[in-house]
Amino acid sequence: MGGQFLMSRSRFKLSLALSGGSARALTHVGVLRELERHGLRADIIVGTSMGAVVGGLYAYYRDVDIVGERLRVLIESDLFLKSIAIAREERSDEGTDGFFNRFWLLFRKGVSYGQSMRRPALITEEDYREIMEDLMPDCRIEDLPIRFAAVAMDILSGEELVIRGGSLRMAVAASAAIPGLLPPVEYRGHLLVDGGWLDNVPVAPAIAMGGHFVLAADAALDVPGLGPLPSAAIEYLLRCNEITRIRLMQQRQQSADVTLVPEIGKTDWSQFTCLDRCSTAGSRAFVESFHYLRGKLLVRRCLTLNGWLHPVRRRCWRHPFKMI
């Protein structure tokens, strides 16, 4: 089929930029499945938060069925269910969507007052370490069969760090450490949290690592997904902060050659039981865009002389980040 022509071996590199989005980012499983079905090979994977989790597993196993099974085992584990329960409430009559609004609602109803308000995260460091040990292989990123990097934010300096070496497990744990929910991760002299606060769809790092063609997968909420207007002053503040972050990410991901945005409605960030539905949505988004993607891919091959020229792009794709 056409995919076999597209993946002829050359210097040409196809990069994946996988977004965060918590449970919504399970759509990446479907995107990876369709890449395999269409005979395309990801040469470079850069992920943020849950995108780093899915991308890291795939870079290690190179088999989407194994990735899906590893995620399913995690989602059904007692420790994971307990951890999610700590940070989640059943949808109330106020019915707000979006991580910041939901998180503040959790605080306001008293779940996180007292002892939990005086510690750095709702989930303990021990529980988070055990979750990651059960999920992510402990190997060096440099030894992976697919080039991989995870994006995190240094909470002390504010730098965006692209972790492309060292422990895979530590890099992914740092990238996925949602502030306030999961504990920061100390790594190589940095105190790291979820990279989605700076670069939720890491297109520029994927280009900088050698990608001639960047396929981005964005599973994050758009502004309409944040739900109705809030009723309290602090909720207005948090909503505005979230809108700023969403708009920044949308601007940064414009440098991707193709961006897939799977349609999964208002799936809540904590609904990890929707793995099959999210995976199907990711597959559908890829299939619907495949002819467009194939055309863009052929154009990039021509512009780069099949990988001999790089990056053949305007410099506007760049923004400050540090590779470690």
Side-chain angles (χ1 to χ4, degrees), residues 147 159 205 247 299:
R147 291 182 64 193
E159 289 180 300
R247 293 305 185 211
V299 169

Side-chain angles (χ1 to χ4, degrees), residues 34 38 260-263 280-293:
E34 292 305 322
H38 287 79
L260 303 179
V261 184
E263 178 53 53
T280 298
S283 293
R284 184 169 56 249
F286 185 98
V287 170
E288 290 174 351
S289 300
F290 178 67
H291 292 297
Y292 174 73
L293 185 156

Side-chain angles (χ1 to χ4, degrees), residues 33 36 57-68 146:
R33 189 178 305 282
E36 289 185 357
L57 287 171
Y58 190 78
Y60 182 85
Y61 290 110
R62 289 192 296 180
D63 186 320
V64 71
D65 290 331
I66 297 177
V67 172
I146 299 175

